[in-house]
Amino acid sequence: MLRFFLYGSPSTRAFHRVVCRQRQMLIRDRPHIVNTATAFPTHYHSQQEISFALRTVWIKKGLDVAIFDRLQKAVTVEGRYLALPMSEYYKLDGFADCNRAWLEVALELGERVINDLLEKTNLYPQEIQMLMSVTSTGVTVPSLEARLMNRIAFAQDLKRVPLFGLGCLAGTAGVARVGDYLKGHPDEAAILLTIELCSLTLQAEDLSIANIISSGLFGDGAAAVLLVGDKHPLVNINEKRNSKANEFHGSKVSKDESERDHEFHKPMVLSSKSIFFPDSEEVMGWDVTDRGLKIMLGQGVPGFAKQLRPHVDSFLAEHGLSIPDIALWLTHPGGPKVIDTIESCLELPPKSLDKTRKHLREVGNISSTSVLVILDECLNGPIPKIYGKSDTGNFGIMLSLGPAFSGELVLLQW
């Protein structure tokens, strides 16, 4: 009886063991996101300019202008970066031409964004042990990261991981997979690179609803993220900065001091979860044709987004958390309906996904790159105070949906 009062029932002790394991998971093997960088082509156009150019060409092919205008407006995009000057797209003839243009621009953006990332972090290329490249808008063998090794002085024993075909969810999935790698290599540094040039997949002869939506929705850009393992020297610097930042947040400071302090906030990657919806291959993806990568975009995407709630709830419950504990939602901008559906089904507070909506308006959907552009913006801005019950720090969720149909979740902590 004394043992029962001191230690509780067997079921109670088992519960406490689970809670302890959950807490331990939150404080060990924590890959850190140290820095981010983004890069865009130099050609930026308003939605009005792009729509006018497309309408002018397609009206000669029998375009229903009323449907076209309605769909172009419905995506809520106001402007996008394009890989090429608009006049150059008329000269592209088939998959080979588009892919050559893709490779040229992709390498230029990749070199620029990685050099920017390394410069911001004061690291040499030789200090990176793994480089993962992500794309779904072009094909190259050798892969992008291999070609970039001839432009950037990485070590010859750099480990390279090319990811192709994950589509829009690859930004979040890439962070998850790099995080998994660093848990096994805690003293190493790794870069995740995403490059998506969606404009070079546009099918000039296709007047389908899917292609018209795609022509108004997708943009071009690149992003890179530097992550390090829990035993990397940069972690100690990061933790000291986070400690200093917490001191600032716990006291009254001037606006200038508070804004400067935001640079100290670098999140840890705590865990990830993959979600697969069976028999949904036709919902989203590419139909590979002689003319190139033809968009497959079904009407069922918002329907699958509605099914996210139990997956998110179970994922957070594994770590002793719930949706009210999440201060920041970094969500891929699949489209206005998808954003609204995610916000509704997860019962998020108003304005939770405003960064996602802003991104969609300003640069469109950049496939895997989008969620990392949003991450970059958040790392260079204020981290919101948590509004839930947790007192262990600010938590965030990265969330993306993509082909298969599938989803990816990453749990972050500041």
Side-chain angles (χ1 to χ4, degrees):
M1 181 65 68
L2 177 63
R3 180 180 177 85
F4 179 86
F5 281 109
L6 288 176
Y7 300 106
S9 67
S11 60
T12 302
R13 294 197 298 273
F15 172 77
H16 285 304
R17 285 196 297 271
V18 170
V19 171
C20 288
R21 282 197 298 270
Q22 290 172 343
R23 289 176 178 172
Q24 290 169 0
M25 288 175 66
L26 294 179
I27 61 173
R28 71 183 185 189
D29 299 332
R30 306 164 298 175
H32 288 234
I33 294 176
V34 174
N35 230 324
T36 54
T38 62
F40 298 94
T42 57
H43 317 291
Y44 184 86
H45 296 278
S46 69
Q47 187 80 329
Q48 186 176 4
E49 290 178 280
I50 298 172
S51 294
F52 178 79
L54 289 169
R55 189 189 300 108
T56 301
V57 174
W58 282 347
I59 200 169
K60 300 173 184 177
K61 303 178 186 296
L63 175 71
D64 187 321
V65 175
I67 292 177
F68 174 85
D69 288 346
R70 176 173 59 82
L71 294 175
Q72 292 280 304
K73 183 178 179 180
V75 295
T76 71
V77 177
E78 296 178 358
R80 287 170 286 163
Y81 290 94
L82 301 181
L84 304 177
M86 288 180 63
S87 59
E88 294 296 310
Y89 287 88
Y90 301 108
K91 303 176 184 178
L92 298 175
D93 184 20
F95 194 8
D97 263 6
C98 291
N99 204 69
R100 277 191 289 268
W102 170 84
L103 181 58
E104 180 181 348
V105 177
L107 290 176
E108 187 274 323
L109 288 178
E111 182 178 8
R112 177 157 38 112
V113 77
I114 288 176
N115 283 333
D116 184 26
L117 180 68
L118 292 171
E119 183 178 353
K120 288 168 66 175
T121 318
N122 294 316
L123 286 181
Y124 292 106
Q126 297 89 340
E127 296 178 271
I128 304 301
Q129 284 76 39
M130 195 266 272
L131 173 61
M132 178 180 290
S133 69
V134 170
T135 189
S136 290
T137 52
V139 180
T140 178
V141 179
S143 54
L144 283 174
E145 77 290 341
R147 293 179 183 272
L148 287 168
M149 287 185 70
N150 289 316
R151 294 172 173 235
I152 302 172
F154 288 112
Q156 286 185 290
D157 61 353
L158 176 75
K159 285 164 277 190
R160 301 183 291 105
V161 182
L163 290 183
F164 176 84
L166 294 181
C168 296
L169 68 82
T172 300
V175 170
R177 301 294 83 80
V178 173
D180 291 341
Y181 169 83
L182 289 172
K183 288 180 180 179
H185 301 81
D187 58 345
E188 294 189 1
I191 290 177
L192 169 67
L193 168 69
T194 71
I195 303 174
E196 302 289 10
L197 305 178
C198 305
S199 67
L200 291 170
T201 68
L202 182 67
Q203 298 296 298
E205 306 298 321
D206 182 9
L207 299 184
S208 67
I209 296 297
N211 196 53
I212 290 174
I213 293 174
S214 175
S215 74
L217 180 62
F218 291 100
D220 299 343
V225 182
L226 174 69
L227 299 96
V228 299
D230 198 35
K231 296 181 181 179
H232 192 277
L234 285 176
V235 170
N236 291 330
I237 298 173
N238 187 37
E239 288 182 342
K240 289 178 182 178
R241 288 175 171 177
N242 277 337
S243 176
K244 182 179 178 183
N246 289 334
E247 291 176 9
F248 273 121
H249 284 302
S251 61
K252 294 182 179 180
V253 296
S254 71
K255 182 179 179 182
D256 289 342
E257 287 176 319
S258 179
E259 288 177 350
R260 283 199 305 271
D261 185 58
H262 291 144
E263 67 180 358
F264 297 149
H265 284 283
K266 306 298 181 184
M268 298 171 287
V269 178
L270 299 185
S271 186
S272 64
K273 180 182 182 67
S274 299
I275 306 166
F276 184 82
F277 297 98
D279 302 318
S280 56
E281 296 174 12
E282 303 302 318
V283 172
M284 180 184 293
W286 295 129
D287 181 10
V288 182
T289 72
D290 292 339
R291 301 294 305 173
L293 303 173
K294 180 179 178 181
I295 188 74
M296 293 191 301
L297 189 61
Q299 297 180 351
V301 176
F304 285 105
K306 289 181 180 179
Q307 302 177 44
L308 280 174
R309 182 62 183 264
H311 298 281
V312 174
D313 284 340
S314 64
F315 175 54
L316 293 177
E318 292 172 7
H319 303 283
L321 301 171
S322 61
I323 286 176
D325 292 311
I326 305 304
L328 190 62
W329 292 87
L330 308 175
T331 305
H332 172 77
K337 289 184 179 179
V338 175
I339 298 171
D340 291 345
T341 300
I342 292 173
E343 193 171 63
S344 174
C345 80
L346 297 182
E347 298 180 281
L348 301 182
K351 300 184 178 181
S352 293
L353 302 186
D354 277 4
K355 290 184 185 296
T356 300
R357 293 187 173 94
K358 176 177 177 288
H359 174 89
L360 184 63
R361 286 196 308 271
E362 294 180 352
V363 294
N365 180 338
I366 317 178
S367 191
S368 67
T369 298
S370 277
V371 74
L372 302 184
V373 174
I374 297 170
L375 173 64
D376 178 76
E377 180 183 344
C378 290
L379 294 189
N380 290 285
I383 301 300
K385 283 295 182 183
I386 199 160
Y387 58 84
K389 62 185 180 182
S390 177
D391 58 358
T392 56
N394 285 337
F395 293 95
I397 285 285
M398 293 180 68
L399 188 162
S400 297
L401 300 174
F405 193 73
S406 53
E408 196 79 23
L409 303 170
V410 168
L411 178 62
L412 303 174
Q413 184 182 20
W414 278 263

